[in-house]
Amino acid sequence: MTTSSGPQAGSSRVLGTADAVTVGAAAMIGAGVFAVFAPAADEAGAWMWVALLIAAVVAYCNATSSARLAARHPESGGTYVYGRERLSELWGYLAGWAFVVGKTASCAAMALTFAAYAAPGWSRPLAVAAVVALTAVNYVGVRTSTGLARVLLAIVLAVLAAVAAVGLGGGEADAAHLAIDTHWPGFFGLLGAAGMLFFAFAGYARIATLGGEVREPATTVPRAIAIALLGVFAVYAVVGTAALSVLGHGRLADSRAPLADTVTAAGWPGLTPLVAVGAALASLGALLALTLGVSRTVAAMADDGHLPRALAAVHPRFGGPHRAEIAVGAVVCVIVLVVDLRGAIGFSAFGVLVYYAVTNASALRLGPSENRPPLLVPVVGLAGCLVLAFSLPLQSVVIGAAVVGAGAAVWALRRTVLDRR
């Protein structure tokens, strides 16, 4: 079952495997890697590695389900399309709704994180300026966006390599810090940490949402997802090992800038400004990739009438959904001016887990002739997403559930009006 909708048919298929991997890796290796290990260590203590493994397993299941579905539905929109085609219009809509609202909040979080590192005293105005600038980059074409993302990703990876080198190669590293002790953090502590670490993994969906703009999507998308996920997992494992071996889980949990504290404790305080620059650029790279993916899902939902149809328009020269890009940028700017960073991250995590729950449920509907994954993969992915979503802080769960419920109510109201016509 392969579909093609209006805007997708007009999109330019210009991205190869390397471009798609860049988009996914840039979305995953964002500001999260510079901050996520501290709250994860606070929740799980020395069991952080178990939490990282849980997050990686759930991410692998989601990636596999996404890849198999993308091969059957090679168009922009990601799980919005998969849920619509494999489950029902409602589930596709809810997936798209959760993705758009969750990742729009994540865009605001990335913009605020960039500004906090670059100029703390001017964080909100600078965050708005970053959103406007990157929206303009996306507007002139996806090839320009991936080129910039590749540059940002290379710089960030160089910074992370420096952190890992001084952390693991210095005399302050202590292998005893990596041992799991007898203090059990509780299931909510362990799973809450896994939920936060999963948030740092999320990003390979950006590859699937670009299905209408990659060459040979049936093979390119699954390959790019696998490469990006494995590469990012390796980066997180090495950098997390460096931070934990130098600081120990107690000092790591109390750190506000764990990677900066790692290089300082390892005897290289001169690298702290470099880490700050890396964090700022990582935030820009993630923001670039996130706005790219959100705008494509908005365009797909608009093409089906769930959002104003004007947002589905494709630019005749640049080949992207330019009105959706502008709309997403405008909404992110508004959120940046009023949002609380911690609340935005928690809500975004809930939204993305709901999104991937629908992904795995959709993968369960693939037939034997459609290269479906082993049954255990989507089952574990679905259960893992639901468990991690409801293990997040209570405020994030309540707000996230309320917003998803509001989306369902809007869909039901719209269906009622249409049925009466």
Side-chain angles (χ1 to χ4, degrees), residues 15 110 163 165 192 196 247 249 270 288 317 346 364:
L15 302 182
M110 293 300 98
V163 173
M196 286 182 286
L247 299 177
H249 64 82
L288 180 70
R317 176 182 174 187
L364 287 170

mmCIF file of all heavy atoms in Angstrom, residues 15 110 163 165 192 196 247 249 270 288 317 346 364:
data_model
loop_
_atom_site.group_PDB
_atom_site.id
_atom_site.type_symbol
_atom_site.label_atom_id
_atom_site.label_comp_id
_atom_site.label_asym_id
_atom_site.label_seq_id
_atom_site.Cartn_x
_atom_site.Cartn_y
_atom_site.Cartn_z
ATOM 1 N N LEU A 15 17.644 14.466 -2.020
ATOM 2 C CA LEU A 15 18.487 14.024 -0.913
ATOM 3 C C LEU A 15 18.945 12.583 -1.102
ATOM 4 O O LEU A 15 18.150 11.712 -1.432
ATOM 5 C CB LEU A 15 17.729 14.134 0.420
ATOM 6 C CG LEU A 15 17.200 15.517 0.797
ATOM 7 C CD1 LEU A 15 16.527 15.466 2.155
ATOM 8 C CD2 LEU A 15 18.312 16.550 0.777
ATOM 9 N N MET A 110 15.085 24.190 21.877
ATOM 10 C CA MET A 110 16.398 24.272 21.242
ATOM 11 C C MET A 110 16.819 25.724 21.024
ATOM 12 O O MET A 110 17.986 26.083 21.216
ATOM 13 C CB MET A 110 16.386 23.532 19.896
ATOM 14 C CG MET A 110 16.206 22.027 19.988
ATOM 15 S SD MET A 110 17.503 21.184 20.941
ATOM 16 C CE MET A 110 16.698 21.001 22.534
ATOM 17 N N VAL A 163 35.817 16.284 24.340
ATOM 18 C CA VAL A 163 35.354 15.970 25.693
ATOM 19 C C VAL A 163 35.674 14.519 26.043
ATOM 20 O O VAL A 163 36.182 14.219 27.136
ATOM 21 C CB VAL A 163 33.839 16.225 25.827
ATOM 22 C CG1 VAL A 163 33.315 15.727 27.180
ATOM 23 C CG2 VAL A 163 33.531 17.706 25.661
ATOM 24 N N ALA A 165 37.941 12.575 24.731
ATOM 25 C CA ALA A 165 39.382 12.337 24.772
ATOM 26 C C ALA A 165 39.985 12.784 26.096
ATOM 27 O O ALA A 165 40.753 12.035 26.720
ATOM 28 C CB ALA A 165 40.063 13.056 23.606
ATOM 29 N N GLY A 192 11.992 6.929 34.301
ATOM 30 C CA GLY A 192 12.003 8.368 34.054
ATOM 31 C C GLY A 192 13.299 8.804 33.400
ATOM 32 O O GLY A 192 13.305 9.627 32.481
ATOM 33 N N MET A 196 13.935 10.453 29.557
ATOM 34 C CA MET A 196 14.734 11.632 29.216
ATOM 35 C C MET A 196 15.838 11.286 28.219
ATOM 36 O O MET A 196 16.111 12.049 27.288
ATOM 37 C CB MET A 196 15.312 12.236 30.480
ATOM 38 C CG MET A 196 14.273 12.974 31.311
ATOM 39 S SD MET A 196 14.952 13.742 32.789
ATOM 40 C CE MET A 196 15.207 12.303 33.825
ATOM 41 N N LEU A 247 33.281 12.396 36.765
ATOM 42 C CA LEU A 247 32.510 13.067 37.818
ATOM 43 C C LEU A 247 31.888 12.112 38.828
ATOM 44 O O LEU A 247 31.657 12.503 39.976
ATOM 45 C CB LEU A 247 31.400 13.917 37.186
ATOM 46 C CG LEU A 247 31.838 15.047 36.256
ATOM 47 C CD1 LEU A 247 30.625 15.746 35.659
ATOM 48 C CD2 LEU A 247 32.718 16.052 36.983
ATOM 49 N N HIS A 249 28.450 9.508 39.601
ATOM 50 C CA HIS A 249 27.031 9.832 39.381
ATOM 51 C C HIS A 249 26.525 10.928 40.312
ATOM 52 O O HIS A 249 25.607 11.669 39.968
ATOM 53 C CB HIS A 249 26.166 8.570 39.495
ATOM 54 C CG HIS A 249 26.151 7.944 40.839
ATOM 55 N ND1 HIS A 249 25.350 8.385 41.862
ATOM 56 C CD2 HIS A 249 26.842 6.878 41.337
ATOM 57 C CE1 HIS A 249 25.534 7.624 42.932
ATOM 58 N NE2 HIS A 249 26.439 6.712 42.641
ATOM 59 N N GLY A 270 40.403 25.153 30.053
ATOM 60 C CA GLY A 270 40.443 25.987 28.852
ATOM 61 C C GLY A 270 39.503 25.523 27.753
ATOM 62 O O GLY A 270 39.194 26.286 26.833
ATOM 63 N N LEU A 288 17.332 23.452 13.301
ATOM 64 C CA LEU A 288 17.218 23.419 11.846
ATOM 65 C C LEU A 288 16.503 22.156 11.377
ATOM 66 O O LEU A 288 15.563 22.209 10.574
ATOM 67 C CB LEU A 288 18.611 23.494 11.221
ATOM 68 C CG LEU A 288 18.690 23.477 9.696
ATOM 69 C CD1 LEU A 288 18.139 24.778 9.130
ATOM 70 C CD2 LEU A 288 20.132 23.279 9.235
ATOM 71 N N ARG A 317 9.793 27.145 -7.040
ATOM 72 C CA ARG A 317 11.229 27.182 -7.325
ATOM 73 C C ARG A 317 12.038 26.325 -6.347
ATOM 74 O O ARG A 317 12.877 25.523 -6.761
ATOM 75 C CB ARG A 317 11.735 28.626 -7.258
ATOM 76 C CG ARG A 317 13.249 28.744 -7.457
ATOM 77 C CD ARG A 317 13.699 30.190 -7.323
ATOM 78 N NE ARG A 317 15.154 30.307 -7.379
ATOM 79 C CZ ARG A 317 15.829 31.425 -7.166
ATOM 80 N NH1 ARG A 317 15.165 32.543 -6.881
ATOM 81 N NH2 ARG A 317 17.155 31.430 -7.222
ATOM 82 N N GLY A 346 9.755 18.512 28.786
ATOM 83 C CA GLY A 346 8.917 17.418 29.276
ATOM 84 C C GLY A 346 7.713 17.172 28.385
ATOM 85 O O GLY A 346 7.376 16.027 28.065
ATOM 86 N N LEU A 364 2.492 -2.995 13.206
ATOM 87 C CA LEU A 364 1.826 -4.272 13.463
ATOM 88 C C LEU A 364 0.853 -4.649 12.349
ATOM 89 O O LEU A 364 0.484 -5.815 12.209
ATOM 90 C CB LEU A 364 1.072 -4.215 14.797
ATOM 91 C CG LEU A 364 1.938 -4.236 16.071
ATOM 92 C CD1 LEU A 364 1.076 -3.936 17.295
ATOM 93 C CD2 LEU A 364 2.622 -5.585 16.226
#
